[in-house]
Amino acid sequence: MSETTLYDKLGGEGAITAVVDYFYELVLADETVKHFFNNTDMEKQRKHQAKFFSFALGGPNQYTGASMAKAHAGMNLQEEHFKAIATHLHDALAHFGVGADEINQVLAKVSTLKDDILHK
């Protein structure tokens, strides 16, 4: 019997896409981090992020983007930026009724990428 993935627990592709869309609404309303997306094609970014989250959470989508370090090179992201993004992810997941245990599992997965994202 196979283990249920976080991707499945969250509701699959449609649910992840909805969370990502709402997540970026929160991010783009936050003065702390919205400037990082000034020159970003947000439609492309949302699709890319949905694929990344799907893959990271055990879903079928294969992530083919840059490594986290390469994707964040030259951005000089600091702890406060990472915390803001993690908070928005938490809030987006909670907005769609994701349980605390699953939110904590998602945030734990995201936190493993911290060293590849900060100070690049």
Side-chain angles (χ1 to χ4, degrees):
M1 201 161 139
S2 64
E3 181 180 331
T4 302
T5 65
L6 273 172
Y7 174 85
D8 293 325
K9 287 180 183 178
L10 294 180
E13 183 177 352
I16 297 224
T17 298
V19 167
V20 167
D21 286 345
Y22 187 71
F23 164 76
Y24 277 116
E25 286 181 33
L26 299 174
V27 167
L28 295 175
D30 182 346
E31 295 294 328
T32 308
V33 291
K34 75 178 190 177
H35 64 279
F36 290 111
F37 299 92
N38 284 344
N39 298 314
T40 302
D41 175 341
M42 290 308 297
E43 182 179 341
K44 182 178 176 185
Q45 179 67 20
R46 289 171 200 264
K47 288 178 183 176
H48 177 77
Q49 193 69 272
K51 283 183 181 180
F52 171 74
F53 276 127
S54 293
F55 173 71
L57 301 177
N61 289 327
Q62 292 300 311
Y63 176 74
T64 58
S67 70
M68 286 295 108
K70 188 172 183 180
H72 295 92
M75 295 179 75
N76 195 27
L77 292 163
Q78 303 297 312
E79 184 72 33
E80 71 180 277
H81 305 127
F82 190 88
K83 285 182 182 177
I85 294 296
T87 298
H88 296 317
L89 179 56
H90 171 280
D91 294 349
L93 290 163
H95 176 80
F96 287 97
V98 176
D101 287 344
E102 286 81 13
I103 290 174
N104 289 335
Q105 289 175 46
V106 171
L107 294 177
K109 284 199 171 282
V110 169
S111 72
T112 66
L113 303 171
K114 191 174 185 178
D115 289 342
D116 289 334
I117 294 172
L118 295 184
H119 312 293
K120 301 293 179 207

